[in-house]
PDB file of all heavy atoms in Angstrom:
ATOM      1  N   ILE A 304      86.996 136.958-128.151  1.00 98.00           N
ATOM      2  CA  ILE A 304      87.429 137.880-129.195  1.00 98.00           C
ATOM      3  C   ILE A 304      87.425 137.101-130.503  1.00 98.00           C
ATOM      4  O   ILE A 304      88.126 136.095-130.638  1.00 98.00           O
ATOM      5  CB  ILE A 304      88.833 138.452-128.890  1.00 98.00           C
ATOM      6  CG1 ILE A 304      88.791 139.248-127.583  1.00 98.00           C
ATOM      7  CG2 ILE A 304      89.325 139.309-130.051  1.00 98.00           C
ATOM      8  CD1 ILE A 304      90.166 139.673-127.080  1.00 98.00           C
ATOM      9  N   PHE A 305      86.613 137.566-131.461  1.00 98.00           N
ATOM     10  CA  PHE A 305      86.535 136.906-132.764  1.00 98.00           C
ATOM     11  C   PHE A 305      87.165 137.795-133.815  1.00 98.00           C
ATOM     12  O   PHE A 305      86.797 138.961-133.960  1.00 98.00           O
ATOM     13  CB  PHE A 305      85.075 136.594-133.133  1.00 98.00           C
ATOM     14  CG  PHE A 305      84.957 135.875-134.440  1.00 98.00           C
ATOM     15  CD1 PHE A 305      85.388 134.566-134.561  1.00 98.00           C
ATOM     16  CD2 PHE A 305      84.442 136.505-135.549  1.00 98.00           C
ATOM     17  CE1 PHE A 305      85.308 133.898-135.776  1.00 98.00           C
ATOM     18  CE2 PHE A 305      84.345 135.857-136.771  1.00 98.00           C
ATOM     19  CZ  PHE A 305      84.787 134.544-136.877  1.00 98.00           C
ATOM     20  N   LEU A 306      88.100 137.223-134.582  1.00 98.00           N
ATOM     21  CA  LEU A 306      88.911 138.000-135.521  1.00 98.00           C
ATOM     22  C   LEU A 306      88.471 137.868-136.981  1.00 98.00           C
ATOM     23  O   LEU A 306      89.246 138.138-137.888  1.00 98.00           O
ATOM     24  CB  LEU A 306      90.388 137.591-135.370  1.00 98.00           C
ATOM     25  CG  LEU A 306      90.939 137.772-133.947  1.00 98.00           C
ATOM     26  CD1 LEU A 306      92.334 137.171-133.828  1.00 98.00           C
ATOM     27  CD2 LEU A 306      90.934 139.237-133.550  1.00 98.00           C
ATOM     28  N   GLY A 307      87.231 137.507-137.195  1.00 97.00           N
ATOM     29  CA  GLY A 307      86.668 137.571-138.546  1.00 97.00           C
ATOM     30  C   GLY A 307      86.624 136.271-139.319  1.00 97.00           C
ATOM     31  O   GLY A 307      87.228 135.270-138.961  1.00 97.00           O
ATOM     32  N   ASP A 308      85.870 136.323-140.416  1.00 97.00           N
ATOM     33  CA  ASP A 308      85.587 135.215-141.324  1.00 97.00           C
ATOM     34  C   ASP A 308      84.764 134.133-140.639  1.00 97.00           C
ATOM     35  O   ASP A 308      85.232 133.032-140.361  1.00 97.00           O
ATOM     36  CB  ASP A 308      86.859 134.642-141.955  1.00 97.00           C
ATOM     37  CG  ASP A 308      87.323 135.455-143.150  1.00 97.00           C
ATOM     38  OD1 ASP A 308      86.689 136.484-143.454  1.00 97.00           O
ATOM     39  OD2 ASP A 308      88.330 135.073-143.784  1.00 97.00           O
ATOM     40  N   GLY A 309      83.513 134.494-140.400  1.00 97.00           N
ATOM     41  CA  GLY A 309      82.564 133.567-139.814  1.00 97.00           C
ATOM     42  C   GLY A 309      81.591 134.250-138.878  1.00 97.00           C
ATOM     43  O   GLY A 309      81.150 133.665-137.900  1.00 97.00           O
ATOM     44  N   LEU A 310      81.245 135.496-139.181  1.00 97.00           N
ATOM     45  CA  LEU A 310      80.334 136.219-138.300  1.00 97.00           C
ATOM     46  C   LEU A 310      78.961 135.546-138.213  1.00 97.00           C
ATOM     47  O   LEU A 310      78.288 135.668-137.195  1.00 97.00           O
ATOM     48  CB  LEU A 310      80.209 137.683-138.730  1.00 97.00           C
ATOM     49  CG  LEU A 310      81.399 138.557-138.325  1.00 97.00           C
ATOM     50  CD1 LEU A 310      81.306 139.927-138.967  1.00 97.00           C
ATOM     51  CD2 LEU A 310      81.502 138.680-136.812  1.00 97.00           C
ATOM     52  N   ASN A 311      78.552 134.791-139.240  1.00 97.00           N
ATOM     53  CA  ASN A 311      77.300 134.029-139.141  1.00 97.00           C
ATOM     54  C   ASN A 311      77.399 132.999-138.018  1.00 97.00           C
ATOM     55  O   ASN A 311      76.439 132.770-137.289  1.00 97.00           O
ATOM     56  CB  ASN A 311      76.974 133.321-140.461  1.00 97.00           C
ATOM     57  CG  ASN A 311      76.345 134.262-141.462  1.00 97.00           C
ATOM     58  OD1 ASN A 311      75.748 135.264-141.100  1.00 97.00           O
ATOM     59  ND2 ASN A 311      76.474 133.926-142.735  1.00 97.00           N
ATOM     60  N   ASP A 312      78.559 132.370-137.886  1.00 97.00           N
ATOM     61  CA  ASP A 312      78.785 131.402-136.810  1.00 97.00           C
ATOM     62  C   ASP A 312      78.699 132.086-135.447  1.00 97.00           C
ATOM     63  O   ASP A 312      78.136 131.537-134.500  1.00 97.00           O
ATOM     64  CB  ASP A 312      80.155 130.736-136.962  1.00 97.00           C
ATOM     65  CG  ASP A 312      80.307 130.012-138.282  1.00 97.00           C
ATOM     66  OD1 ASP A 312      79.335 129.379-138.735  1.00 97.00           O
ATOM     67  OD2 ASP A 312      81.407 130.093-138.868  1.00 97.00           O
ATOM     68  N   ILE A 313      79.248 133.286-135.362  1.00 98.00           N
ATOM     69  CA  ILE A 313      79.222 134.023-134.102  1.00 98.00           C
ATOM     70  C   ILE A 313      77.793 134.424-133.748  1.00 98.00           C
ATOM     71  O   ILE A 313      77.385 134.340-132.583  1.00 98.00           O
ATOM     72  CB  ILE A 313      80.153 135.255-134.170  1.00 98.00           C
ATOM     73  CG1 ILE A 313      81.607 134.797-134.335  1.00 98.00           C
ATOM     74  CG2 ILE A 313      79.984 136.137-132.945  1.00 98.00           C
ATOM     75  CD1 ILE A 313      82.126 133.887-133.224  1.00 98.00           C
ATOM     76  N   ARG A 314      77.010 134.829-134.732  1.00 97.00           N
ATOM     77  CA  ARG A 314      75.608 135.182-134.472  1.00 97.00           C
ATOM     78  C   ARG A 314      74.853 133.975-133.893  1.00 97.00           C
ATOM     79  O   ARG A 314      74.066 134.102-132.968  1.00 97.00           O
ATOM     80  CB  ARG A 314      74.906 135.659-135.749  1.00 97.00           C
ATOM     81  CG  ARG A 314      75.577 136.825-136.448  1.00 97.00           C
ATOM     82  CD  ARG A 314      75.450 138.141-135.693  1.00 97.00           C
ATOM     83  NE  ARG A 314      76.029 139.215-136.478  1.00 97.00           N
ATOM     84  CZ  ARG A 314      77.148 139.858-136.151  1.00 97.00           C
ATOM     85  NH1 ARG A 314      77.805 139.561-135.065  1.00 97.00           N
ATOM     86  NH2 ARG A 314      77.619 140.827-136.916  1.00 97.00           N
ATOM     87  N   GLN A 315      75.137 132.805-134.443  1.00 98.00           N
ATOM     88  CA  GLN A 315      74.516 131.579-133.938  1.00 98.00           C
ATOM     89  C   GLN A 315      75.016 131.277-132.513  1.00 98.00           C
ATOM     90  O   GLN A 315      74.226 130.907-131.640  1.00 98.00           O
ATOM     91  CB  GLN A 315      74.836 130.412-134.875  1.00 98.00           C
ATOM     92  CG  GLN A 315      74.115 129.137-134.553  1.00 98.00           C
ATOM     93  CD  GLN A 315      74.389 128.047-135.564  1.00 98.00           C
ATOM     94  OE1 GLN A 315      74.942 128.279-136.647  1.00 98.00           O
ATOM     95  NE2 GLN A 315      74.021 126.825-135.229  1.00 98.00           N
TER      96      GLN A 315
END
Side-chain angles (χ1 to χ4, degrees):
I304 298 171
F305 182 70
L306 303 172
D308 278 3
L310 283 171
N311 280 336
D312 301 321
I313 296 301
R314 304 289 184 249
Q315 187 176 348

